[in-house]
Amino acid sequence: EVESVIDLQQELADDELVLEFILNDDDGYGILISSQRVNFFQLNQVPTLNNSILRLKSFLSAPLLKKQQLLEYRMLAFDVYQYLFPEKELADIDLKGKKLTVVPDHNLQNFPFEALVTDSKVPLNDAYLIRDLEINYAYSISFHKENEKVFRENKPLAISGFAPVQFASQGLSELKRSR
């Protein structure tokens, strides 16, 4: 059963938000839902946004070893943040201290919103979105609600795992501290 926005709003606490994206190669929209209001907004320059998301994903796939890489990452992560959280549309909504559930779409699937940069002027460690709010993900609010209804019996399991120290037969290096 499809969850209605009104039902969702009634279930949200004052500190909870849902941000759902509708995105493809050419067009994009965001819907920010709180217990009090619904903000529907159009994403700007969607082809550029998609390209930036893909570039940012590639930055996040490897360590940033050079200062120039870190600067490029910071600016790109800030740009993507501004596209996805447009100040004009969300200026009167305080995100700090909230619990945000993101429903991603298209290139935002498997994208870590925690790594977005919210301010280009403060030290980088203080600028990540994860510093401002708690972030959760759902691929569908309706599915999430139905899945919560499923009873799962918790059975205690006795598991003991051991890893070999050396993997000589596979030609791999030693697994340090496994002894």
Side-chain angles (χ1 to χ4, degrees), residues 82-171:
Q82 289 180 306
Y83 281 119
L84 298 177
F85 295 84
E87 186 176 338
K88 178 183 169 194
E89 303 291 340
L90 307 176
D92 57 339
I93 297 174
D94 185 17
L95 297 175
K96 290 189 188 281
K98 299 285 195 290
K99 296 174 185 173
L100 175 69
T101 299
V102 176
V103 182
D105 192 23
H106 195 48
N107 286 325
L108 293 173
Q109 299 286 346
N110 302 314
F111 179 79
F113 279 70
E114 296 85 351
L116 291 175
V117 172
T118 61
D119 190 330
S120 63
K121 295 175 180 61
V122 300
L124 185 57
N125 284 344
D126 297 329
Y128 291 112
L129 183 59
I130 191 65
R131 295 281 199 170
D132 293 339
L133 46 79
E134 178 183 316
I135 302 171
N136 300 295
Y137 298 91
Y139 291 104
S140 161
I141 292 298
S142 298
F143 174 77
H144 181 69
K145 295 297 177 191
E146 286 298 315
N147 197 35
E148 285 179 338
K149 296 176 187 175
V150 175
F151 175 76
R152 291 175 175 83
E153 184 179 342
N154 293 330
K155 296 180 182 178
L157 299 174
I159 296 176
S160 182
F162 300 91
V165 175
Q166 296 183 350
F167 299 89
S169 63
Q170 288 91 8

Side-chain angles (χ1 to χ4, degrees), residues 56 58-74 124 128:
L56 193 54
S58 71
F59 264 110
L60 294 168
S61 67
L64 303 175
L65 302 174
K66 298 179 181 172
K67 188 175 182 176
Q68 183 61 32
Q69 289 176 313
L70 192 58
L71 291 172
E72 286 178 44
Y73 164 79
R74 181 186 184 125
L124 185 57
Y128 291 112

Side-chain angles (χ1 to χ4, degrees), residues 20-24 27-31 40-43 46:
E20 184 163 353
F21 290 99
I22 304 162
L23 186 64
N24 63 34
D27 299 302
Y29 301 91
I31 307 168
F40 181 82
F41 55 93
Q42 187 169 5
L43 299 173
V46 172

